Amino acid sequence: MNRIRNFCIIAHIDHGKSTLADRLLELTSTLSARDMENQVLDDMDLEKEKGITIKSHAIQMSYKGYRLNLIDTPGHVDFSYEVSRSIAACEGALLVVDASQGVQAQTISNLYMAIDHGLEIIPVLNKIDMDSAQPDIVADEICDLLGCSPDDIFRVSARTGDGVPPILDAIVEKIPAPSGNPDAPLQALIFDSVFNPFRGVIAYFKVSNGAVRKGDKVKFVATGMEYEVEEVGSLKMKLIPGEEVGCGDVGYIITGIKSAVEVKVGDTITHVARPCEEAIAGFEEVKPMVFAGMYPVQADKFEELRTVLEKFQLNDASFVYEPESSLALGSGFRCGFLGLLHLEIVQERLFREFDMDVITTVPNVSYKVYTMQGEVLDVHNPSGLPAPTLIDHIEEPYIRAQIISKTEFFGPIMKLCLDRRGTLVSQHYITAERVELNYDMPLSEIVFDFYDKLKTISKGYASFDYHVTQFRPAKLVRLDILLNGEPADALSTLIHEDNAYDFGRKMCVKLKDLIPRQQFDIPIQAAIGAKIIARETVKQLRKDVTAKCYGGDVTRKRKLLEKQKEGKKRMRQIGTVQVPQSAFMAVLKLDS
């Protein structure tokens, strides 16, 4: 155990975690030069295309007789659950900060998470070779944050490999070896899992006490299920089978589980014959921030979608779902996400990895509705809202938002937050150039396009992090969209009374562009209860029936037009309006 080091790399998005991991893999000869590529641990096509890490990746390296288990983590706030799981399986962390951008919101958030778990922090200043780098200024920011001296900070360029080798020695010297008793009953924490169509569920785990061997009878504590271990081993670029995974080590286990619901991330593995007394405290229960309905494009694919979501949840434990039905879309699932980017990534991965095309409804957040009878209802969906006469009041979730930006964007950022019903809690100048703002604001106001707007007005410099603090009373109304007089419940939304008119008008204008023209006029209306607050009309496709009327009396033309008008009226009564998928996603981009 003294020769094992478990560590992760934490940083804000795009500060060079995956590139630093590449250099560490090269220096320890974990990969041959032929197999080496940029961001080698980001094995999803989607990660390479977007240039972000979505999944945390575990890999084992050997260095001077030591076994180094590295877990590379994502940086975006929507994937912070992945980071918390990685931190729970480690004793130390490399804190990477970009020398050109300095300390950002997610840097601070991830650092506090690591300190809460008692991890040893090794500060790394990356991208010192860039023209815009300010290594001395950023080093002072890191010293203020950690209370360390400038000599403790490793100055590196992960792209060129300059200054990286001493980090490996620091990992061995500074990060403590894992603690645990090799002779105690087996106690292992599952921190990730994947589904393999041939082998079943493969669980990745860290052993806290005891050891697990091939052929052992093991039990998963949360589900109570018992299995025989078919294979255990270590995590290199491929899975390397072995005879046992010892105390303090990280590895994988295959027990032939074919059902995805039998494995839970955060569960404890123990022996059947000699079980441990208590389960390891897993991870905090994930709290979804954004809810959206997912429905199969063809109604008969509902069961197929259920199976796909079960398998997907294995690979993404922060994703939650439950069945629901909609008048317009049939049977589907109410899904919970950590943010809008998370929703977008899930939708894309379902299509790419499982060939599953889904219709996604308008995202919204969870509200608490207090009825006249004194009941408290959790409402995730506008259709679940009781009649207005039964509601006493509604409470919505509030967040504490932390924004770090250059001082020159201070004014526009404050205006953006005030427009979104935010109240300033505190402001703090990190340096003369950089300011940290803390706001209390409703979660529903940041769900759609807040992050994009923030990036636009700050020219990409502002960083943003948030956590939910409490529920507060709010004046909310249900805004319905009527197409040809019929409510399209997938486009309904709960919104603050003051913003309802503006939002409804924008929705009508947007849908007018997106809904294809029919043989009859389609009225698009935004309504609060029985009151119509905005209207647009998709004009009908017309046929020039009067083209053959040349000469003669004008009454001939009029007669033909009246006849056509009757037909259009009849058609409108029996016609149905098809809503394209782009209309559901358009709500997210109302200003573009």
Side-chain angles (χ1 to χ4, degrees), residues 103-105 108 112 140-146 400-408 410 413-414 424-439 463:
V103 172
Q104 306 264 288
I108 297 171
Y112 287 161
D140 288 342
E141 287 181 23
I142 298 171
C143 293
D144 288 347
L145 191 64
L146 285 175
R400 175 65 53 86
Q402 179 191 43
I403 300 166
I404 297 177
S405 174
K406 288 191 170 181
T407 44
E408 62 192 272
F410 187 73
I413 289 173
M414 287 191 80
L424 183 65
V425 177
S426 64
Q427 64 187 60
H428 163 63
Y429 283 88
I430 300 168
T431 65
E433 290 285 300
R434 292 158 66 73
V435 65
E436 177 191 326
L437 299 169
N438 287 298
Y439 270 90
S463 62

Side-chain angles (χ1 to χ4, degrees), residues 6-23:
N6 301 317
F7 71 101
C8 58
I9 304 179
I10 54 175
H12 189 76
I13 189 167
D14 202 28
H15 278 204
K17 296 178 300 299
S18 300
T19 312
L20 180 60
D22 288 353
R23 297 296 82 78

Side-chain angles (χ1 to χ4, degrees), residues 210-393:
V212 60
R213 294 171 187 82
K214 190 176 173 180
D216 283 356
K217 275 270 173 73
V218 294
K219 181 168 108 175
F220 286 39
V221 176
T223 57
M225 307 289 271
E226 298 178 4
Y227 308 96
E228 186 174 321
V229 180
E230 291 178 9
E231 184 177 306
V232 289
S234 54
L235 301 159
K236 299 270 175 107
M237 275 315 284
K238 294 189 172 77
L239 304 178
I240 310 294
E243 284 304 310
E244 75 162 29
V245 177
C247 188
D249 214 346
V250 172
Y252 72 92
I253 184 169
I254 299 175
T255 53
I257 301 171
K258 289 288 186 278
S259 169
V261 288
E262 291 176 34
V263 176
K264 287 188 166 46
V265 168
D267 196 358
T268 302
I269 306 173
T270 189
H271 281 133
V272 173
R274 191 173 162 227
C276 57
E277 288 179 12
E278 58 178 358
I280 303 170
F283 319 106
E284 56 193 61
E285 197 62 35
V286 59
K287 295 186 188 73
M289 304 296 175
V290 176
F291 293 87
M294 279 193 172
Y295 296 86
V297 176
Q298 282 118 15
D300 57 349
K301 292 206 169 174
F302 173 72
E303 283 303 325
E304 192 181 325
L305 178 60
R306 184 197 294 275
T307 312
V308 164
L309 292 182
E310 274 178 14
K311 290 177 183 173
F312 181 80
Q313 195 180 34
L314 266 183
N315 203 246
D316 185 351
S318 57
F319 170 74
V320 294
Y321 65 94
E322 58 184 41
E324 72 160 4
S325 60
S326 146
L327 291 171
L329 300 167
S331 296
F333 293 92
R334 184 103 203 124
C335 303
F337 308 90
L338 295 186
L340 220 57
L341 177 68
H342 189 204
L343 183 151
E344 198 181 310
I345 295 290
V346 168
Q347 203 175 343
E348 188 67 29
R349 283 183 68 189
L350 288 175
F351 180 65
R352 290 192 187 195
E353 294 171 29
F354 301 98
D355 199 22
M356 193 79 213
D357 213 355
V358 291
I359 292 172
T360 311
T361 63
V362 176
N364 50 44
V365 300
S366 176
Y367 298 93
K368 285 192 187 301
V369 177
Y370 291 78
T371 64
M372 293 294 191
Q373 284 79 31
E375 295 174 305
V376 182
L377 307 174
D378 276 330
V379 175
H380 310 307
N381 196 337
S383 60
L385 201 66
T389 50
L390 302 176
I391 297 171
D392 181 41
H393 68 280

